[in-house]
Amino acid sequence: MTELERLAAHLQQFAEARDWEQFHTPKNLAMALAGEVGELVAEFQWLTAEESSAPDPPTLARISAELGDVTNYLVRLADVLGVDLVQAAEAKLASSERRYPPDLYRGSARKAPPDPHP
Protein backbone atom coordinates (compact mmCIF):
# COMPACT_ATOMS: atom_id res chain seq x y z
CA MET A 1 0.00 0.00 0.00
CA THR A 2 1.42 3.39 -1.00
CA GLU A 3 1.46 6.44 1.26
CA LEU A 4 -1.34 7.95 -0.82
CA GLU A 5 -3.45 4.81 -0.45
CA ARG A 6 -2.81 4.81 3.31
CA LEU A 7 -3.91 8.44 3.50
CA ALA A 8 -7.07 7.69 1.48
CA ALA A 9 -7.91 4.79 3.79
CA HIS A 10 -7.31 6.92 6.88
CA LEU A 11 -9.55 9.69 5.50
CA GLN A 12 -12.25 7.14 4.71
CA GLN A 13 -12.06 5.74 8.26
CA PHE A 14 -12.18 9.29 9.66
CA ALA A 15 -15.36 10.02 7.69
CA GLU A 16 -16.97 6.67 8.55
CA ALA A 17 -16.32 7.07 12.28
CA ARG A 18 -18.21 10.39 12.22
CA ASP A 19 -20.93 9.29 9.80
CA TRP A 20 -19.76 12.00 7.43
CA GLU A 21 -19.76 9.86 4.29
CA GLN A 22 -23.29 11.14 3.62
CA PHE A 23 -21.80 14.64 3.25
CA HIS A 24 -18.78 13.56 1.19
CA THR A 25 -20.42 13.82 -2.20
CA PRO A 26 -18.15 14.80 -5.07
CA LYS A 27 -19.88 18.20 -5.26
CA ASN A 28 -19.38 18.92 -1.57
CA LEU A 29 -15.79 17.70 -1.57
CA ALA A 30 -14.95 19.78 -4.66
CA MET A 31 -16.49 22.86 -3.06
CA ALA A 32 -14.60 22.24 0.19
CA LEU A 33 -11.40 21.76 -1.80
CA ALA A 34 -11.94 25.07 -3.59
CA GLY A 35 -12.48 26.79 -0.24
CA GLU A 36 -9.26 25.35 1.16
CA VAL A 37 -7.33 26.38 -1.95
CA GLY A 38 -8.69 29.89 -1.35
CA GLU A 39 -7.37 29.79 2.22
CA LEU A 40 -3.97 28.67 0.90
CA VAL A 41 -3.94 31.48 -1.65
CA ALA A 42 -4.82 33.98 1.10
CA GLU A 43 -1.60 33.05 2.91
CA PHE A 44 0.39 34.25 -0.11
CA GLN A 45 -1.79 37.22 -1.04
CA TRP A 46 0.33 40.08 0.29
CA LEU A 47 3.75 38.43 0.30
CA THR A 48 6.47 39.61 -2.04
CA ALA A 49 7.99 37.08 -4.42
CA GLU A 50 10.96 36.81 -2.07
CA GLU A 51 8.77 36.36 1.04
CA SER A 52 6.73 33.67 -0.69
CA SER A 53 9.91 31.75 -1.52
CA ALA A 54 11.15 31.80 2.08
CA PRO A 55 8.20 32.43 4.43
CA ASP A 56 8.89 33.06 8.10
CA PRO A 57 8.18 30.13 10.46
CA PRO A 58 4.66 31.22 11.54
CA THR A 59 3.62 31.82 7.91
CA LEU A 60 5.15 28.53 6.80
CA ALA A 61 3.22 26.73 9.57
CA ARG A 62 -0.06 28.24 8.30
CA ILE A 63 0.83 27.38 4.70
CA SER A 64 1.65 23.83 5.75
CA ALA A 65 -1.71 23.47 7.51
CA GLU A 66 -3.56 24.73 4.43
CA LEU A 67 -1.58 22.38 2.18
CA GLY A 68 -2.67 19.56 4.48
CA ASP A 69 -6.31 20.59 4.11
CA VAL A 70 -6.00 20.83 0.31
CA THR A 71 -4.31 17.44 0.14
CA ASN A 72 -6.89 15.77 2.35
CA TYR A 73 -9.85 17.06 0.36
CA LEU A 74 -8.17 16.23 -2.96
CA VAL A 75 -7.32 12.69 -1.88
CA ARG A 76 -10.81 12.17 -0.43
CA LEU A 77 -12.47 13.45 -3.62
CA ALA A 78 -10.36 11.19 -5.80
CA ASP A 79 -11.12 8.22 -3.54
CA VAL A 80 -14.88 8.85 -3.57
CA LEU A 81 -14.80 9.06 -7.38
CA GLY A 82 -12.51 6.04 -7.75
CA VAL A 83 -9.83 8.09 -9.48
CA ASP A 84 -6.21 6.97 -9.15
CA LEU A 85 -4.69 10.33 -8.31
CA VAL A 86 -1.12 9.37 -9.21
CA GLN A 87 -2.23 7.91 -12.54
CA ALA A 88 -4.30 11.03 -13.27
CA ALA A 89 -1.33 13.30 -12.45
CA GLU A 90 1.03 11.23 -14.60
CA ALA A 91 -1.44 11.33 -17.50
CA LYS A 92 -1.72 15.10 -17.17
CA LEU A 93 2.07 15.46 -17.04
CA ALA A 94 2.37 13.36 -20.21
CA SER A 95 -0.15 15.65 -21.89
CA SER A 96 1.82 18.72 -20.77
CA GLU A 97 5.04 17.19 -22.07
CA ARG A 98 3.40 16.85 -25.51
CA ARG A 99 1.96 20.37 -25.40
CA TYR A 100 5.14 22.05 -24.16
CA PRO A 101 8.20 20.62 -25.92
CA PRO A 102 11.35 22.05 -24.31
CA ASP A 103 12.80 23.31 -27.58
CA LEU A 104 9.72 25.53 -28.14
CA TYR A 105 8.82 26.57 -24.58
CA ARG A 106 12.06 26.74 -22.57
CA GLY A 107 11.93 29.96 -20.52
CA SER A 108 8.53 30.94 -21.93
CA ALA A 109 5.28 31.40 -20.03
CA ARG A 110 3.12 31.48 -23.15
CA LYS A 111 0.13 29.15 -23.32
CA ALA A 112 0.11 26.18 -25.69
CA PRO A 113 -2.88 25.21 -27.83
CA PRO A 114 -5.16 22.53 -26.34
CA ASP A 115 -3.87 18.96 -26.42
CA PRO A 116 -5.79 17.05 -29.11
CA HIS A 117 -5.10 13.79 -27.18
CA PRO A 118 -6.05 14.44 -23.54
Side-chain angles (χ1 to χ4, degrees):
M1 183 178 276
T2 68
E3 291 294 318
L4 202 53
E5 289 168 336
R6 276 194 277 280
L7 177 58
H10 192 176
L11 289 165
Q12 182 179 10
Q13 292 166 357
F14 178 87
E16 285 175 359
R18 290 155 182 81
D19 192 26
W20 286 355
E21 289 181 298
Q22 61 185 313
F23 308 117
H24 285 193
T25 64
K27 176 196 76 72
N28 287 353
L29 290 168
M31 291 174 69
L33 174 60
E36 293 300 338
V37 169
E39 291 178 19
L40 175 61
V41 169
E43 291 298 333
F44 289 96
Q45 187 171 5
W46 303 114
L47 300 181
T48 65
E50 295 78 23
E51 290 168 334
S52 72
S53 295
D56 61 40
T59 303
L60 184 57
R62 291 190 309 273
I63 290 168
S64 180
E66 295 306 334
L67 284 168
D69 286 339
V70 167
T71 301
N72 287 340
Y73 278 115
L74 179 62
V75 169
R76 183 72 178 133
L77 175 60
D79 188 46
V80 165
L81 289 172
V83 171
D84 181 320
L85 204 48
V86 173
Q87 184 179 13
E90 288 174 345
K92 186 61 179 181
L93 180 56
S95 170
S96 294
E97 286 175 333
R98 288 189 302 274
R99 290 179 65 203
Y100 296 96
D103 57 326
L104 297 178
Y105 288 91
R106 185 171 187 83
S108 172
R110 76 180 194 274
K111 185 104 170 122
D115 185 0
H117 306 87

